[in-house]
């Protein structure tokens, strides 16, 4: 249940020093089985809770799991300058060293968060490569691998000269125009992430660029990402894997997602009808993603002290019940979950039958007395 009207109150932000001395910011929110999100392009642990682009991702995962995430070195609340940061991100570093640093950071975050049982890894975009590398290295620690919009090969490793030329042009534009007052420079870049976004969403993404990092670091990160290649590890993944990809994703072609699903033994593949690299809450593909993720991950494990009866609820019923106990009406629940009033009523009726209650008031008291989280 919500702890405050401000969704950011759900999370706890902490800092650590990486094995090579860089200060990294990480946060967790929610309870239950852990889901660890590897860092992806341009994050900010606090700012994302205000985001019309990312807030629904935060809310969804923290509603069902203990959701652990972090800002990568050079971005967001993690260290941007000082020490050897610029040298570490310099494009002259080879791909293996960059990949090793990123996987090392993921290891450090997981060690600090100390999940008590095997956990799921969520790899979005470039984060997929880091999750794959970690899962191959520590298969006994990872329960599930969920890869969305991900890739094993950076642009420079795909054998596509036209795409690589375009990518290089974008890097030059980022380096030259990132910090200018005119957002047109950043809009060329950000509009590719959410081509079907609203003006407000695009403006927010533009602002995120400035709030999370500098143009120089952004360009260096893009150059390093182009050289990533963990394709040689795909055949060695030994954990259950779900690959989800937008059909018309302009940032990472769907062929890269299909490569993951083809090469990772036993991987499932879900193709979404979307052109957005970051799924937006208003699009049907987001609802499809949530359903696929919950089916794959199994919903939220019951926290300590919670009555086992709540384990009889399906992931969707649990979601509806949680919103009900927060005081939302059927209409508000339907709007939040993008489902019809009739579907909400059906879920509510099923919840009442399973819990043995007859009214919303009884359900709320039941949830409070039985430790529902």
């Amino acid at each position: 249940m919500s702890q405050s009207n401000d969704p950011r109150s759900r999370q706890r932000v902490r800092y650590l020093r990486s094995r090579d001395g860089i200060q990294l910011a990480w946060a967790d929110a929610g309870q239950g089985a852990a889901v660890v999100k590897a860092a992806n392009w341009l994050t900010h642990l606090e700012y994302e809770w205000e985001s019309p682009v990312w807030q629904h991702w935060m809310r969804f995962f923290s509603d069902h799991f203990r959701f652990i995430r972090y800002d990568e070195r050079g971005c967001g609340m993690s260290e941007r300058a000082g020490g050897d940061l610029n040298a570490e991100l310099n494009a002259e570093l080879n791909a293996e060293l960059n990949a090793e640093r990123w996987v090392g950071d993921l290891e450090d975050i997981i060690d600090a968060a100390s999940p008590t049982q095997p956990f799921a890894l969520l790899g979005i975009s470039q984060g997929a490569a880091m999750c794959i590398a970690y899962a191959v290295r520590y298969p006994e620690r990872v329960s599930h691998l969920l890869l969305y919009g991900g890739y094993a090969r950076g642009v420079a490793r795909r054998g596509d000269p036209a795409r690589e030329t375009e990518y290089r042009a974008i890097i030059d534009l980022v380096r030259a125009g990132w910090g200018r007052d005119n957002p047109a420079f950043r809009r060329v870049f950000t509009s590719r992430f959410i081509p079907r976004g609203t003006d407000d969403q695009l403006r927010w993404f533009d602002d995120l660029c400035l709030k999370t990092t500098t143009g120089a670091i952004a360009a260096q990160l893009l150059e390093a990402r182009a050289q990533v290649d963990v394709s040689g590890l795909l055949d060695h993944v030994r954990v259950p894997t779900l690959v989800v990809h937008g059909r018309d994703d302009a940032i990472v072609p769907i062929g890269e997602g299909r490569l993951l699903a083809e090469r990772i033994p036993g991987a499932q593949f879900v193709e979404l009808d979307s052109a957005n690299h970051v799924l937006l809450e208003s699009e049907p593909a987001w609802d499809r993603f949530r359903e696929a993720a919950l089916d794959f991950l199994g919903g939220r494990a019951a926290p300590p002290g919670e009555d086992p009866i709540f384990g009889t609820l399906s992931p969707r019923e649990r979601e509806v019940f949680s919103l009900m106990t927060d005081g939302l009406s059927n209409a508000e629940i339907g709007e939040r979950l993008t489902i019809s009033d009739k579907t909400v009523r059906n879920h509510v009726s099923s919840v009442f039958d399973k819990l043995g209650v007859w009214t919303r008031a009884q359900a709320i008291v039941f949830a409070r007395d039985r430790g529902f989280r």
Side-chain angles (χ1 to χ4, degrees), residues 47-112:
Y47 191 42
E48 286 174 346
W49 284 104
E50 307 170 11
S51 164
V53 177
W54 281 112
Q55 187 187 81
H56 53 290
W57 287 79
M58 308 298 108
R59 189 171 61 233
F60 168 67
F61 280 102
S62 63
D63 276 350
H64 293 277
F65 307 95
R66 180 191 176 203
F67 188 40
I68 300 164
R69 64 197 225 283
Y70 60 102
D71 290 331
E72 71 176 316
R73 54 178 65 209
C75 291
M77 298 173 69
S78 290
E79 189 171 0
R80 298 192 196 180
D84 295 320
L85 179 61
N86 287 335
E88 291 163 1
L89 293 176
N90 193 286
E92 293 179 3
L93 289 175
N94 60 46
E96 289 74 23
L97 181 55
N98 276 323
E100 186 62 29
R101 288 282 172 90
W102 287 328
V103 176
D105 289 345
L106 177 58
E107 290 178 359
D108 289 341
I109 296 298
I110 290 171
D111 289 346

Side-chain angles (χ1 to χ4, degrees), residues 20 22 24 44 47 69 135 139-140 169 188 257-258 272 286 330:
D20 59 336
I22 296 298
L24 299 176
H44 192 293
Y47 191 42
R69 64 197 225 283
E140 73 284 356
V188 170
R258 289 176 178 147
L272 300 178
W286 169 243
N330 282 3

Side-chain angles (χ1 to χ4, degrees), residues 216-263:
I217 293 176
Q220 290 170 331
L221 287 171
L222 285 171
E223 288 177 327
R225 278 159 164 67
Q227 301 298 330
V228 165
D229 190 350
V230 297
S231 59
L233 299 179
L234 299 181
D235 296 329
H236 302 285
V237 175
R238 293 294 182 267
V239 300
T241 301
L242 173 64
V243 179
V244 186
H245 213 103
R247 183 178 304 125
D248 300 311
D249 190 333
I251 297 295
V252 180
I254 192 171
E256 293 303 308
R258 289 176 178 147
L259 175 70
L260 297 178
E262 176 187 351
R263 293 276 305 280

Side-chain angles (χ1 to χ4, degrees), residues 207-220:
D207 290 342
L208 174 67
C209 291
L210 294 180
K211 290 188 177 184
T212 195
T213 196
T214 66
I217 293 176
Q220 290 170 331

Side-chain angles (χ1 to χ4, degrees), residues 135-284:
V136 170
R137 188 174 297 180
Y138 304 106
E140 73 284 356
R141 300 183 186 178
V142 181
S143 64
H144 299 79
L145 197 56
L146 175 55
L147 309 177
Y148 166 73
Y151 59 89
R153 308 176 300 178
V155 173
R157 302 290 180 157
R158 297 174 192 165
D160 189 338
R163 287 245 181 199
E164 188 173 355
T165 297
E166 177 185 302
Y167 192 87
R168 291 291 173 190
I170 289 172
I171 292 175
D172 290 341
L173 186 62
V174 165
R175 187 176 282 112
W178 192 267
R180 296 192 183 184
D181 291 336
N182 185 347
F185 288 91
R186 296 183 302 279
R187 184 63 58 91
V188 170
F189 180 79
T190 60
S191 62
R192 298 171 72 244
F193 276 80
I194 47 173
R196 295 178 182 170
T198 65
D199 287 342
D200 284 344
Q201 288 166 332
L202 286 167
R203 276 195 296 271
W204 181 89
F205 215 110
D206 289 341
D207 290 342
L208 174 67
C209 291
L210 294 180
K211 290 188 177 184
T212 195
T213 196
T214 66
I217 293 176
Q220 290 170 331
L221 287 171
L222 285 171
E223 288 177 327
R225 278 159 164 67
Q227 301 298 330
V228 165
D229 190 350
V230 297
S231 59
L233 299 179
L234 299 181
D235 296 329
H236 302 285
V237 175
R238 293 294 182 267
V239 300
T241 301
L242 173 64
V243 179
V244 186
H245 213 103
R247 183 178 304 125
D248 300 311
D249 190 333
I251 297 295
V252 180
I254 192 171
E256 293 303 308
R258 289 176 178 147
L259 175 70
L260 297 178
E262 176 187 351
R263 293 276 305 280
I264 294 176
Q268 304 174 51
F269 183 73
V270 173
E271 180 177 315
L272 300 178
D273 182 15
S274 180
N276 293 317
H277 188 55
V278 181
L279 291 174
L280 302 176
E281 188 172 21
S282 59
E283 59 180 320

